[in-house]
Amino acid sequence: MAGPGRGNQPGGAARLSRCLRLTATDRGCKRRSFALLDARPGQRLLDAGCGTGADAVALAGYVQPGGHVVGIDSSAVAIAAARTHGQGLTGVRFERADLAALPSPDACFDGVRTDRTLQHLAQPEIAVRELVRVTRSGGHVVFSEGTFAGPGSASTQTRRTHQAPGLAAFLPLLLNRSGVVNIGIEYSEATVDAGPEVLEILGMRAGPLKVKVVQITGIVTR
Ligand SMILES: C[S@@+](CC[C@H](N)C(=O)[O-])C[C@H]1O[C@@H](n2cnc3c(N)ncnc32)[C@H](O)[C@@H]1O
């Protein structure tokens, strides 16, 4: 299901996410995505495409006491790293699963999020349907998706992911058709000095790297 770019090869997406997490834009967007999710004590949350689990672990702190966060990812390597990350912590667990067929009953989460994951899918609409299915009525969905571009890149992450350029237009429509209301869209943009590892993953020869993030939110109704 993952796309063909280097960022999607085993470890590539996780490496990219680890490097980009160091940027101020990225930290701000993650904090914003937690706020948009309206995470509170006692809630059950899903971080879909959780990578190595840092966000799910951080979110677990928001839902204590009494809540829990499930992180799912299709990569066995990512899930193994996430389990190590979450070892001994209360209220967080990780499962290997595909977004196209979530192993969860209907309406079992108070909120679901993705972070730079839908953009890697050939058919994000299937994943969105699944994410809405597992969210209770009144629960929040928060999708943060990003594009990267820089000088000296013949082929950017935008080109190598399937849907990134169109997601900002496509996701709200899809959510609307799925009975999601209060749909919101927020954009952030920054130029960051990417290190050699990020540039190598993205197939770029030189920075600076432009990071654009779109955050799409809504409330599920039945
Ligand atoms: C760019 S990483 C983002 C990871 C994490 N959300 C973060 O922000 O650090 C994208 C993640 O989506 C996962 N992924 C890609 N296709 C998937 C699918 N069909 N089902 C579940 N996870 C998937 C990849 O394995 C990868 O860990």
Side-chain angles (χ1 to χ4, degrees), residues 99-100 102 112 114 118 121 123-135 141 143 167 170-176 178 180 220:
L99 268 146
L102 293 172
V112 303
T114 63
L118 297 177
L121 307 183
Q123 292 182 288
E125 64 275 17
I126 297 176
V128 169
R129 199 180 310 137
E130 275 294 89
L131 291 165
V132 170
R133 177 184 69 76
V134 301
T135 307
V141 294
F143 305 139
L167 275 177
F170 176 63
L171 285 178
L173 191 64
L174 205 55
L175 288 175
N176 179 263
S178 308
V180 173
V220 171

Side-chain angles (χ1 to χ4, degrees), residues 1-2 7 13-14 16-18 21 30 47-52 55 72-75 78 97-100 113-117 120-121:
M1 195 58 78
L16 180 59
S17 118
R18 191 179 65 240
R21 182 170 297 114
K30 284 189 185 297
D47 187 20
C50 63
T52 53
D55 292 348
I72 67 110
D73 200 286
S74 57
S75 157
D98 197 300
L99 268 146
R113 76 184 288 274
T114 63
D115 198 325
R116 289 164 307 191
T117 294
H120 296 288
L121 307 183

Side-chain angles (χ1 to χ4, degrees), residues 132-189:
V132 170
R133 177 184 69 76
V134 301
T135 307
R136 70 164 169 83
S137 189
H140 293 254
V141 294
V142 179
F143 305 139
S144 302
E145 301 294 329
T147 62
F148 317 102
S153 80
S155 140
T156 67
Q157 178 78 355
T158 302
R159 283 180 55 189
R160 278 189 276 109
T161 57
H162 289 282
Q163 302 285 353
L167 275 177
F170 176 63
L171 285 178
L173 191 64
L174 205 55
L175 288 175
N176 179 263
R177 284 189 187 149
S178 308
V180 173
V181 299
N182 286 14
I183 295 168
I185 308 180
E186 294 183 14
Y187 295 93
S188 318
E189 190 168 336

Side-chain angles (χ1 to χ4, degrees), residues 49-80:
C50 63
T52 53
D55 292 348
V57 165
L59 266 179
Y62 287 68
V63 299
Q64 296 311 312
H68 71 261
V69 179
V70 178
I72 67 110
D73 200 286
S74 57
S75 157
V77 175
I79 288 299

